[in-house]
Amino acid sequence: MSAGLAPIADPSYYTVSDAKFEDFRRIVEQKTLHEDYPLASSIAKDLIPIYDCPALRAAGKLTPVWSDPANLPLREEFIRALKRGPGVVVFRGAFTNMEEFDAGTKVLEELIQGQRKVDKLVRDENYIVPNTNEHWAKRDPGSYSDYFKNDVIALASGAWLGPWYQMTSQISQCVPGNKAQRMHRDYHLGVGDRFPYKRGDDVISPIAAAVFPAHMHVSSHYMTLQGAIAHVDMPLESGPTMFLPYSQLYEHGYLTSGVPEFYEYFAANHVQTPLQKGDAVFFSPGIYHGAGQNNSGPKTNTPPVDRIANLLQISSAFGRPSDNADRRATTNYVYPHLLEQRKKFQESGGKAGYSDNELWNIISSTAEGYLFPTNLRFVNGIFQAPQNEVVWKALMNGTPPEELAKVLEEEEKLNKNGIPPI
Ligand SMILES: [Fe+2]
């Protein structure tokens, strides 16, 4: 190996052809030892550490200030579990004041009902209200605040991301008969990998995770913490989330969620843990998972369960720039110049003006280039084009500046409202 080149074991890019199923199997076929998680009350299926929050609080090992040194051992176990361990932990009794908790659930149910009235989409998996936190805070700041004063949410968020985190949530409802989700990873790369998106009038197949360098695959699942709070009791037949512990450790995992060998393995080997109302689950967005099928009701001769969970997405602030750039305004300032330069290039046969490649480079440094945040604004399973693609299409069509300005303003509103609006 010549000096300065990365060794083979530390590739700059991951490729599907390098993904070996046997490596994956070796990684996920581990057991979790209780001695590595001494504060856990048990290890479910020899895989998932379960923490008994009322007992930890009583012992002074879970205190209201997440950064309290008394909480350090618990924080360390949590970090170990997500970083090198099974990738998922359960906190039993995260919420214990059921009067407050039920008041919050009532508001969340109203949000679901409100959205269902205007939403014509039939969804056979789970039903989700995007941007729940903002809707909840607007409707009932009291129950919202009672909920987010919770010590476990603060501890998990602070432990994984440090103090600069940003909370969003989506209340999710899954009724008897709802199907299981297919195995997947989550935000960031896991979402782009699953859904197609629009570029101009074309639909681009799911974003190839392989385009991103290897270190961004690793960063992707360090930048976000996923959580689910159970708002009702969720027995196994109601389909609590299916997990494949340790799968977040598989380096090529963003490239293999659609590969049959891998999802067939998931179908045969995933684990589920029944949850009780007030329990919280936290997991790495890199773990293979999926909502389970809701088989409760007559089919299994069990009481029907309307499974309601609040899905927390807690994001690191580290992806944000230091300057508060208004990308729409900047685009509007520069767009007339780009139109002019393109015309010049065409009229001069490429001797003057900007080439298409140069124009794209300018747009990449000017317009918003990411699909999110969009409050789940996707139509028929297709995410709508990000701002840079909208600007590119306008430029190629010679759209006048005032017309593009209106489109960008409208796009911004749609991304804020999501689809459907509530
Ligand atoms: Fe997911």
Side-chain angles (χ1 to χ4, degrees):
M1 188 184 78
S2 0
L5 286 182
I8 302 295
D10 181 20
S12 303
Y13 288 93
Y14 297 133
T15 61
V16 185
S17 53
D18 289 339
K20 303 281 180 286
F21 179 68
E22 279 315 309
D23 293 343
F24 170 75
R25 242 175 91 149
R26 213 175 27 250
I27 287 168
V28 297
E29 288 184 357
Q30 303 188 40
K31 294 287 175 218
T32 304
L33 302 176
H34 204 158
E35 65 202 56
D36 290 334
Y37 301 91
L39 291 174
S41 57
S42 62
I43 307 292
K45 310 220 161 127
D46 289 330
L47 286 166
I48 304 176
I50 309 282
Y51 291 92
D52 177 344
C53 297
L56 289 171
R57 289 181 188 113
K61 294 186 163 131
L62 170 57
T63 71
V65 181
W66 71 265
S67 53
D68 186 339
N71 293 332
L72 184 59
L74 184 55
R75 277 187 271 138
E76 284 179 332
E77 285 192 24
F78 184 73
I79 293 165
R80 187 182 309 142
L82 265 64
K83 194 173 167 193
R84 297 269 169 252
V88 51
V89 304
V90 174
F91 290 97
R92 293 238 181 269
F95 290 84
T96 48
N97 182 333
M98 284 304 135
E99 207 177 307
E100 278 180 8
F101 192 74
D102 290 343
T105 305
K106 196 168 158 283
V107 179
L108 293 170
E109 283 172 338
E110 287 165 11
L111 289 178
I112 294 169
Q113 284 155 13
Q115 180 172 280
R116 275 194 186 275
K117 273 188 202 145
V118 294
D119 184 3
K120 301 284 178 284
L121 280 180
V122 178
R123 301 182 194 188
D124 53 9
E125 295 173 354
N126 52 350
Y127 189 87
I128 279 172
V129 177
N131 195 16
T132 288
N133 276 27
E134 186 178 329
H135 297 299
W136 187 359
K138 184 178 174 190
R139 187 176 286 243
D140 187 14
S143 64
Y144 169 91
S145 306
D146 285 341
Y147 192 83
F148 282 104
K149 71 180 195 289
N150 182 266
D151 51 359
V152 175
I153 293 179
L155 181 125
S157 308
W160 189 238
L161 300 163
W164 299 338
Y165 58 82
Q166 301 158 40
M167 180 71 63
T168 55
S169 79
Q170 299 175 338
I171 187 69
S172 152
Q173 182 187 42
C174 184
V175 297
N178 273 167
K179 288 184 187 154
Q181 278 182 325
R182 207 168 120 157
M183 168 192 101
H184 63 276
R185 285 181 163 192
D186 271 345
Y187 211 64
H188 295 254
L189 281 184
V191 175
D193 198 29
R194 256 186 309 153
F195 297 105
Y197 80 108
K198 253 185 140 183
R199 169 176 289 174
D201 293 327
D202 299 329
V203 174
I204 301 297
S205 59
I207 298 163
V211 170
F212 291 83
H215 62 272
M216 292 308 292
H217 286 236
V218 177
S219 310
S220 181
H221 55 89
Y222 286 164
M223 296 290 280
T224 311
L225 175 66
Q226 304 269 138
I229 314 291
H231 280 261
V232 295
D233 289 345
M234 298 181 183
L236 279 182
E237 64 272 11
S238 75
T241 309
M242 308 175 286
F243 290 104
L244 188 63
Y246 294 93
S247 54
Q248 88 282 11
L249 301 177
Y250 183 56
E251 291 177 336
H252 294 74
Y254 288 110
L255 300 173
T256 53
S257 58
V259 177
E261 234 177 348
F262 289 79
Y263 64 71
E264 280 158 17
Y265 183 90
F266 177 87
N269 294 285
H270 67 260
V271 293
Q272 287 169 289
T273 311
L275 297 173
Q276 283 146 21
K277 184 168 84 171
D279 288 353
V281 182
F282 285 96
F283 56 100
S284 160
I287 195 171
Y288 279 152
H289 69 281
Q293 173 144 339
N294 191 339
N295 288 324
S296 66
K299 198 173 164 188
T300 49
N301 209 10
T302 54
V305 177
D306 201 352
R307 215 176 74 222
I308 296 180
N310 197 18
L311 310 177
L312 307 182
Q313 185 191 51
I314 308 134
S315 297
S316 165
F318 287 0
R320 285 188 169 183
S322 61
D323 291 354
N324 195 0
D326 182 339
R327 299 192 189 283
R328 178 160 66 93
T330 315
T331 301
N332 286 332
Y333 296 139
V334 84
Y335 181 73
H337 179 70
L338 302 187
L339 274 177
E340 251 174 56
Q341 292 296 315
R342 180 158 194 262
K343 200 167 160 223
K344 213 181 256 181
F345 188 85
Q346 286 171 332
E347 286 172 358
S348 69
K351 291 195 175 70
Y354 299 150
S355 69
D356 282 358
N357 282 333
E358 289 168 331
L359 289 167
W360 177 251
N361 291 346
I362 297 164
I363 291 172
S364 297
S365 291
T366 308
E368 175 58 52
Y370 195 27
L371 295 163
F372 303 103
T374 53
N375 292 337
L376 287 189
R377 183 191 161 211
F378 54 178
V379 180
N380 297 329
I382 297 167
F383 277 111
Q384 301 306 287
Q387 195 181 58
N388 59 350
E389 302 287 2
V390 174
V391 177
W392 178 253
K393 184 183 165 193
L395 190 56
M396 292 300 110
N397 292 339
T399 305
E402 13 358 301
E403 215 176 288
L404 174 66
K406 271 191 211 145
V407 171
L408 294 182
E409 193 181 353
E410 185 58 22
E411 285 287 308
E412 209 165 273
K413 269 189 221 153
L414 288 170
N415 285 343
K416 171 71 183 154
N417 290 335
I419 298 268
I422 58 170

